[in-house]
Amino acid sequence: MYVQGFDGSWLDHPFWRSRFVIQSDRDLEKLRDSGVEAVIIDDEKGHAPAPRAPAPRWEPPHRPVPPPWVPPAYHQRPDQKQSFAGAYSQATKLFGRSKRSVASMYSDVRLGKAIKAEKLAPLVEDITRSIDQNPRAFISIAQLKNRHEYTYMHSVAVCALMINLARELRFNEAAVRDAGMAGLLHDIGKAVMPVEILDKPGALEDHEYNVMKTHPERGHELLAKSSGVSHNALEVCLRHHEKFDGSGYPGGLIGERLSLFARMSALCDVYDAVTSERAYKKPWTPTETVARMREWDGHFDPEMFEIFVRSVGIYPAGALVRLKSGGIAMVTGENPEDPTCPPMIRLPHGDCVETERLPVGSEEITNMESPEALGFTLWEAERARLIRQYRS
């Protein structure tokens, strides 16, 4: 049967999607064991008659105008040319270099220097090449940043997510790199925000939040005075906090009035922000993030959201996770058939003294963990070694 929806909250059921075909006894058992009281079945896509799914709670006044991109026949996504392990090792080095470049850019802005986007073009080119060789490698590393490097690395992560989404949308080469540059520059307005607000380890007061809400406009002013900055990068900087239903800021634009790049950046910015460790909050797991973002009616372009979810992994390879049994494991890859059950290896921790490969689906993940909280030292090098050893 084709499940069209669930009765109740999306978070009440154990699946990463709310619409899918039940294809196995395992899916059926998970559904029966969950707290869901009723499901809606689409009888045109399945085999059993059932009531029609209810209309969504919110619909945009008009369908968004599709962007002018080149058809897939001419711009297919490049084939992956490198193993995950090899790409992961190279992506780790690139990530470190990216952090230094972005930190230098922020420093220059604070000193009153103009941004020269053309100097960042080689970095965007390298990140694009890394995504093309193996998109999961760089994105996995970007998702695993710690809270101390968030300000700089958020820009790098959004750059990678924008490139990956642009590839999924079959953009041409110039547009892919334009998307990456826009992601890299989208938050530059934060460079001129008061440090005491930017680094505050707690919720902002109303007056502090009002100051922080000016960063898109401040960033747009900075980029407008800089060289080599495209119209799309200016648009993303100004509009990445807009929402599809018009409730965002600074302009309150709605639906098709938001450019394609602006709608892309809204997804990439929020996804990386809530899956990252911050001074004032624990990161959401990718599964929890997708569930909650799906519930935010009107926040995102609904069609693009589904494309975005398809383009990112639920649990990034290299992530440390806690199992329902209490053990600690590391994700080593992805499971396209069920992203909530990725391949993993159990790590020595507590009563466990040896590393072992776990059968897919044999252990349930409860949450992600940080290496600092677990007392893992020199974890970056160890993670890279384990990826090379166990990546299937």
Side-chain angles (χ1 to χ4, degrees), residues 105-106 109 115 185-192 215 219 222-223 237:
M105 176 179 68
Y106 270 69
V109 170
I115 297 167
L185 297 173
H186 84 286
D187 248 357
I188 193 61
K190 288 185 178 178
V192 293
H215 81 268
L222 289 169
L223 294 182
C237 182

Side-chain angles (χ1 to χ4, degrees), residues 145-341:
K145 58 188 172 298
N146 62 55
R147 62 187 176 90
H148 302 294
E149 57 190 14
Y150 175 81
T151 300
Y152 304 134
M153 300 322 298
H154 172 63
S155 296
V156 178
V158 172
C159 169
L161 290 168
M162 288 282 284
I163 291 169
N164 193 50
L165 182 54
R167 283 296 191 207
E168 197 73 22
L169 291 168
R170 301 296 188 261
F171 281 15
N172 62 37
E173 293 300 319
V176 168
R177 283 151 182 78
D178 202 7
M181 181 66 75
L184 199 63
L185 297 173
H186 84 286
D187 248 357
I188 193 61
K190 288 185 178 178
V192 293
M193 293 292 101
V195 176
E196 61 272 15
I197 295 180
L198 195 62
D199 295 339
K200 185 177 180 180
L204 299 179
E205 302 290 340
D206 287 345
H207 70 280
E208 295 171 324
Y209 181 59
N210 288 334
V211 171
M212 185 59 75
K213 284 177 66 176
T214 66
H215 81 268
E217 294 161 299
R218 296 293 302 277
H220 186 270
E221 292 171 4
L222 289 169
L223 294 182
K225 300 174 184 177
S226 303
S227 62
V229 179
S230 71
H231 170 76
N232 286 323
L234 285 165
E235 184 74 2
V236 164
C237 182
L238 185 62
R239 304 296 180 193
H240 64 276
H241 283 294
E242 300 281 2
K243 298 180 182 179
F244 201 60
D245 63 0
S247 63
Y249 66 88
L253 302 186
I254 186 171
E256 69 274 13
R257 292 189 62 197
L258 289 166
S259 70
L260 177 68
F261 275 66
R263 283 177 264 159
M264 292 169 63
S265 66
L267 277 163
C268 298
D269 177 67
V270 169
Y271 181 83
D272 183 69
V274 299
T275 55
S276 300
E277 183 181 4
R278 309 288 291 278
Y280 54 87
K281 79 166 190 68
K282 292 288 186 181
W284 293 352
T285 65
T287 305
E288 182 182 16
T289 297
V290 169
R292 293 194 182 191
M293 288 175 68
R294 196 185 295 275
E295 287 192 326
W296 297 343
D297 288 346
H299 196 133
F300 309 109
D301 178 334
E303 294 181 2
M304 189 175 293
F305 176 78
E306 298 303 328
I307 296 171
F308 176 81
V309 171
R310 188 171 70 233
S311 74
V312 296
I314 297 298
Y315 289 106
L320 289 170
V321 294
R322 185 170 294 278
L323 306 174
K324 191 172 184 179
S325 63
I328 298 296
M330 187 191 81
V331 177
T332 59
E334 60 184 0
N335 178 4
E337 294 183 359
D338 187 352
T340 65
C341 297

Side-chain angles (χ1 to χ4, degrees), residues 342-377:
M344 299 181 289
I345 54 171
R346 191 190 306 276
L347 299 179
H349 192 263
D351 295 334
C352 178
V353 295
E354 292 185 1
T355 301
E356 64 170 324
R357 191 188 299 270
L358 296 172
V360 173
S362 63
E363 289 268 15
E364 182 180 341
I365 296 173
T366 59
N367 60 275
M368 290 177 66
E369 295 280 359
S370 69
E372 293 84 2
L374 296 172
F376 288 0
T377 58

Side-chain angles (χ1 to χ4, degrees), residues 14-241:
F15 300 97
W16 74 284
R17 295 172 295 179
S18 59
R19 300 177 183 178
F20 62 97
V21 178
I22 295 180
Q23 296 180 319
S24 67
D25 291 339
R26 183 171 176 272
D27 284 347
L28 199 56
E29 290 172 5
K30 286 171 66 176
L31 184 58
R32 286 171 172 163
D33 292 341
S34 71
V36 175
E37 295 185 358
V39 295
I40 300 163
I41 302 298
D42 189 332
D43 56 331
E44 291 185 356
K45 297 180 180 178
H47 303 289
R52 294 285 183 181
R57 286 174 286 177
W58 177 86
E59 281 291 340
H62 304 287
R63 298 307 300 164
V65 177
W69 68 70
V70 180
Y74 298 100
H75 290 284
Q76 295 294 340
R77 184 164 192 152
D79 293 332
Q80 294 183 19
K81 300 176 182 178
Q82 193 172 18
S83 69
F84 182 91
Y88 193 92
S89 177
Q90 292 183 17
T92 301
K93 298 175 183 177
L94 175 58
F95 196 71
R97 182 158 58 85
S98 302
K99 180 169 66 174
R100 292 190 293 272
S101 296
V102 174
S104 177
M105 176 179 68
Y106 270 69
S107 178
D108 286 347
V109 170
R110 294 187 182 108
L111 293 173
K113 298 180 181 180
I115 297 167
K116 295 183 178 179
E118 58 270 18
K119 289 188 175 182
L120 297 170
L123 177 61
V124 173
E125 183 71 28
D126 288 344
I127 294 174
T128 302
R129 190 177 300 111
S130 179
I131 295 293
D132 289 344
Q133 288 176 340
N134 197 306
R136 297 290 179 253
F138 194 89
I139 291 175
S140 293
I141 296 169
Q143 286 183 254
L144 300 172
K145 58 188 172 298
N146 62 55
R147 62 187 176 90
H148 302 294
E149 57 190 14
Y150 175 81
T151 300
Y152 304 134
M153 300 322 298
H154 172 63
S155 296
V156 178
V158 172
C159 169
L161 290 168
M162 288 282 284
I163 291 169
N164 193 50
L165 182 54
R167 283 296 191 207
E168 197 73 22
L169 291 168
R170 301 296 188 261
F171 281 15
N172 62 37
E173 293 300 319
V176 168
R177 283 151 182 78
D178 202 7
M181 181 66 75
L184 199 63
L185 297 173
H186 84 286
D187 248 357
I188 193 61
K190 288 185 178 178
V192 293
M193 293 292 101
V195 176
E196 61 272 15
I197 295 180
L198 195 62
D199 295 339
K200 185 177 180 180
L204 299 179
E205 302 290 340
D206 287 345
H207 70 280
E208 295 171 324
Y209 181 59
N210 288 334
V211 171
M212 185 59 75
K213 284 177 66 176
T214 66
H215 81 268
E217 294 161 299
R218 296 293 302 277
H220 186 270
E221 292 171 4
L222 289 169
L223 294 182
K225 300 174 184 177
S226 303
S227 62
V229 179
S230 71
H231 170 76
N232 286 323
L234 285 165
E235 184 74 2
V236 164
C237 182
L238 185 62
R239 304 296 180 193
H240 64 276
H241 283 294

